[in-house]
Amino acid sequence: LNRDGRFDLSADPQFAQAAARYGVVSGKSTHANRLDTIRDTYQRFGQMIDTHTADGVQVALEHHSAASVPQIVLETALPIKLAATIEEALGHSPERPAKFEGIEALPKRVQVMPADVTLIKANIERHCAPAVLG
């Protein structure tokens, strides 16, 4: 990604196997596609979708044919998470679920770490395991 701005798995035999076995396809979505898909989905179905979900819907529609198996696109985030793009697409902010009211005022916890999987795993175990197990 850093060198070419993209990656291509088509030559990888494991990708070819997954594509053949599970019907995996890929595609791309631009910012303009995203805005169009958010608008279209909202106008046609009254459903507001986030930008990442819009990418999935746009690519799914590219691969859709009447004879194909039905496609399912799962929501990947709440629209409020990416409100600026929703506002750009629709001209108004998404509704904020009650549980997110005042979220900006909550304490922020950030820990910068080296890209070392062992350190990251240890950090997750140290900070999250008791909450998961408890």
Side-chain angles (χ1 to χ4, degrees):
L1 283 172
N2 286 339
R3 188 183 72 234
D4 298 328
R6 65 183 193 89
F7 63 92
D8 183 353
L9 298 175
S10 62
D12 186 315
Q14 290 183 343
F15 181 78
Q17 290 169 358
R21 185 172 183 185
Y22 302 109
V24 174
V25 295
S26 63
K28 69 176 185 173
S29 177
T30 65
H31 186 66
N33 295 140
R34 215 169 279 131
L35 295 174
D36 290 343
T37 303
I38 291 167
R39 278 187 209 108
D40 181 63
T41 302
Y42 190 72
Q43 289 168 352
R44 287 177 42 198
F45 305 107
Q47 181 68 41
M48 189 179 294
I49 59 174
D50 69 274
T51 57
H52 303 303
T53 302
D55 292 335
V57 168
Q58 196 272 329
V59 172
L61 290 172
E62 283 181 0
H63 294 283
H64 185 329
S65 70
S68 71
V69 174
Q71 295 177 316
I72 298 171
V73 177
L74 302 176
E75 180 179 64
T76 59
L78 293 175
I80 192 66
K81 182 178 178 190
L82 303 144
T85 304
I86 302 302
E87 290 175 32
E88 183 180 356
L90 301 178
H92 60 87
S93 297
E95 282 188 32
R96 181 179 286 227
K99 66 183 177 182
F100 291 104
E101 290 297 333
I103 196 168
E104 296 86 357
L106 294 175
K108 293 164 183 64
R109 297 177 196 97
V110 176
Q111 184 172 356
V112 177
M113 297 184 66
D116 179 313
V117 72
T118 304
L119 292 175
I120 293 169
K121 282 181 180 180
N123 190 46
I124 292 169
E125 288 173 2
R126 185 170 48 255
H127 295 287
C128 299
V132 172
L133 298 175

